[in-house]
């Protein structure tokens, strides 16, 4: 019978609950069990598609077109399995489902209440996810921190599941252990307080993960054990690591997996993280650097730089660089500064490759177009993703095809040369103000042109990639673009839409309408990122020669 592991966070956000959940899953996988994972977000948004990427992080997209939290990306990468709509829900989605069922008279005419009907909807989704995956273990991450009003109903669902399924549910609390500089000692009170808050929800944690700069020592473990009512062996030390991929090995060293199986009275199965250990060894021992610049706009917030908006792009770069035994160095480049000064574009020569990722809106667009032109003319390896492809088409249309007014109707609704435009069905949705979850979302087929670099990278003629966008290359301009040397290397056969463009006589100039970063895995880098990095490394070697 399926077992359920709830992971909640205390003290503060961003302590790594998603990585903890994914890592627990990886450890259990290594012992021969099948695992799936679910994330519950406390937002009223029905999905993550309408959330601000600077505030919330990247919007990850699954094959079935679900716009979800970036932690679903971590689950897919660690567990090496594709997830779907059943693996993600927000407070908004839960309430919407209950209200729709009430409107359809599915409650038999009785009064519908917040408790127990909302928690029951949460429980039903957890069970559906486990059934869909035929999983031995279902991991459930509860967003936010304990003590917040927003996630109380998810905690209530967890409490009810424990009552309904004795012996099949355990709880993990991840908390932060600060070391105040003035004091110079690791303090356990924040975790003690978080544990007491969890107790007020009727939940006693079975495990406590201690997150901090340094590993937990035995005195701190004993203290947490006494005041939080857990076995000292169930206080798991998880200090900061240089790579998130080290975390499953931390857990293995703490015998976390064995302790979980013991609590469930399950005999240990095979224990094999050998491939993962080799992968982490490469990460730790790589020395030769590959420098990749990302020209974006979703990483500046005040005086701080936040990278979560592009987390899948970052991880895809790392996977590909580590595949070649090198060390990734990723630098954030502001598109807006290139708008102010073209002279600054010369700094792009310092990098072994440049990526323009996805995004929305007009801010920084002209700076990105200038960066693309510089990469094209200076023969710098370039990879454009989604918006990055659209801007590469605009740049080529303006500076090679002579279409000086070329633009996208996203930025200039009145342009007389809309090389990037809405599809008719998208125009109808915008006109009727139906915006949420109405883009071209999820997996779509793409047929590759033989003899192209893209075909060489994939090694096959038909592929499937995930999308998240409204605007497309306008087919009315395809002939003039191709006549001037733009290679349309990939087409969606169902709608005859441009999916991949590239240039000949360039070390690497490929741009794609989809998001390949969503399908990269630690041990299986995405083919396009792998080819991009291979060329970047060959450029380094040729310069050294």
């Amino acid at each position: 019978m399926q077992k359920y592991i709830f992971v909640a966070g205390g003290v503060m956000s961003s302590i790594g609950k998603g990585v903890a959940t994914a890592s627990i899953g990886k450890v259990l996988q290594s012992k021969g069990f099948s695992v799936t994972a679910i994330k519950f977000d406390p937002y009223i948004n029905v999905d993550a598609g309408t959330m601000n990427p600077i505030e919330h992080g990247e919007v990850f997209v699954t094959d079935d077109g679900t716009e979800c939290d970036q932690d679903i990306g971590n689950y897919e990468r660690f567990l090496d399995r594709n997830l779907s709509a059943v693996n993600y829900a927000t407070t908004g989605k839960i309430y919407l489902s209950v209200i729709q069922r009430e409107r359809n008279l599915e409650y038999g005419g009785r009064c519908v209440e917040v408790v127990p009907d909302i928690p029951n909807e949460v429980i039903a989704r957890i069970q559906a996810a486990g059934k869909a995956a035929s999983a031995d273990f279902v991991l459930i991450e509860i967003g936010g921190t304990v003590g917040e009003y927003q996630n109380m109903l998810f905690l209530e669902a967890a409490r009810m599941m424990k009552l309904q399924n004795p012996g099949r549910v355990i709880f993990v609390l991840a908390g932060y252990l600060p070391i105040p500089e003035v004091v110079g000692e690791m303090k356990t009170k924040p975790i003690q307080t978080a544990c007491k808050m969890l107790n007020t929800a009727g939940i006693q944690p079975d495990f406590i993960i201690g997150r901090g700069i340094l590993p937990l020592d035995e005195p701190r473990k004993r203290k947490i054990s006494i005041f939080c009512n857990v076995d000292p062996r169930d206080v798991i030390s998880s200090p900061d690591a240089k790579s998130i991929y080290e975390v499953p090995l931390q857990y293995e060293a703490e015998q976390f997996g064995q302790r979980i199986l013991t609590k469930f009275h399950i005999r240990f199965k095979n224990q094999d993280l050998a491939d993962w250990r080799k992968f982490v060894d490469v990460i730790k021992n790589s020395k030769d650097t590959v420098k990749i610049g990302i020209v974006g706009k979703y990483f500046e917030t005040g005086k701080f730089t936040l990278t979560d908006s592009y987390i899948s792009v970052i991880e895809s770069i790392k996977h590909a660089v580590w595949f070649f035994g090198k060390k990734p160095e990723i630098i954030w480049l502001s598109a807006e500064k290139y708008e102010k000064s073209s002279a600054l574009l010369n700094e792009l020569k310092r990098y072994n490759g440049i990526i323009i990722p996805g995004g929305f809106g007009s801010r920084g667009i002209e700076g990105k177009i200038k960066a693309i032109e510089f990469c094209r003319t200076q023969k710098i390896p370039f990879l454009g993703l989604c918006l990055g492809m659209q801007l590469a088409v605009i740049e080529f249309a303006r500076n090679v095809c002579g279409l000086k007014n070329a633009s996208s109707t996203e930025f200039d609704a009145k342009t007389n040369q809309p090389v990037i435009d809405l599809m008719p069905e998208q125009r109808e949705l915008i006109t009727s103000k139906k915006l949420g979850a109405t883009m071209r979302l999820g997996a779509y087929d793409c047929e590759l042109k033989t003899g192209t670099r893209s075909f060489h990278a994939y090694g096959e003629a038909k592929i499937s990639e995930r999308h998240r966008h409204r605007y497309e290359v306008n087919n009315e301009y395809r002939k003039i673009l191709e006549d001037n040397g733009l290679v349309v290397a990939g087409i969606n056969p169902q709608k005859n839409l441009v999916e991949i463009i590239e240039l000949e006589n360039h070390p690497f100039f490929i741009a794609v309408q989809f998001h390949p970063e969503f399908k990269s895995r630690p041990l299986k880098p995405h083919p396009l990122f792998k080819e991009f990095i291979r060329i970047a490394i060959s450029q380094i070697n040729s310069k050294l020669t």
Side-chain angles (χ1 to χ4, degrees), residues 510-524:
I510 292 179
V512 298
Q513 183 58 81
F514 46 82
H515 289 272
E517 67 268 24
F518 292 153
K519 295 184 74 171
S520 185
R521 302 285 195 263
L523 304 182
K524 292 184 287 187

Side-chain angles (χ1 to χ4, degrees), residues 481-496:
L481 291 167
E482 291 183 282
D483 286 348
N484 280 275
L486 192 73
V487 178
V488 175
I491 293 289
N492 171 253
Q494 287 79 28
K495 296 193 176 185
N496 190 32

Side-chain angles (χ1 to χ4, degrees), residues 222-249:
R222 284 198 302 270
K223 199 169 186 179
I224 291 171
S225 168
I226 292 167
F227 287 99
C228 296
N229 195 31
V230 297
D231 190 304
R233 292 172 296 175
D234 298 331
V235 181
I236 308 300
S237 176
S238 183
D240 290 349
K242 289 184 178 179
S243 164
I244 59 173
Y245 302 110
E246 295 178 39
V247 178
L249 302 184

Side-chain angles (χ1 to χ4, degrees), residues 66-234:
T66 301
E67 295 175 287
C68 48
D69 181 85
Q70 64 187 28
D71 281 324
I72 302 299
N74 278 326
Y75 303 163
E76 285 203 352
R77 286 187 280 271
F78 275 68
L79 302 178
D80 191 20
R81 67 181 302 165
N82 293 334
L83 303 181
S84 66
V86 296
N87 299 94
Y88 178 73
T90 62
T91 296
K93 182 174 284 188
I94 298 294
Y95 270 90
L96 183 62
S97 296
V98 170
I99 290 168
Q100 286 173 336
R101 289 179 62 193
E102 183 274 330
R103 293 289 83 190
N104 293 333
L105 303 180
E106 294 178 37
Y107 289 97
R110 68 172 176 83
C111 295
V112 181
E113 301 180 82
V114 171
V115 178
D117 293 306
I118 297 298
N120 279 338
E121 177 68 20
V122 173
I123 291 169
R125 286 175 176 269
I126 292 170
Q127 292 171 335
K131 185 177 180 181
S134 299
D136 299 313
F137 290 94
V138 182
L139 302 173
I140 308 104
E141 179 191 351
I142 299 175
T145 56
V146 296
E148 292 180 318
Y149 177 77
Q150 292 96 318
N151 61 18
M152 280 301 297
L153 290 170
F154 296 121
L155 294 174
E156 178 67 0
R159 183 195 66 78
M160 290 167 61
M161 278 198 78
K162 175 84 170 184
L163 187 65
Q164 295 166 7
N165 304 277
R168 292 172 54 202
V169 176
I170 65 172
F171 299 103
V172 178
L173 174 64
Y176 189 67
L177 294 153
I179 305 176
E181 191 173 346
V182 176
V183 178
E185 178 192 6
M186 182 179 281
K187 308 303 289 186
T188 63
K189 271 291 187 286
I191 279 187
Q192 293 177 42
T193 302
C195 186
K196 288 176 181 176
M197 288 180 174
L198 193 58
N199 292 158
T200 63
I203 295 172
Q204 167 61 38
D206 298 279
F207 293 93
I208 291 178
I209 298 174
R211 288 281 298 108
I213 298 172
L214 299 175
L216 269 168
D217 57 11
E218 288 307 313
R220 246 55 53 175
K221 281 196 174 189
R222 284 198 302 270
K223 199 169 186 179
I224 291 171
S225 168
I226 292 167
F227 287 99
C228 296
N229 195 31
V230 297
D231 190 304
R233 292 172 296 175
D234 298 331

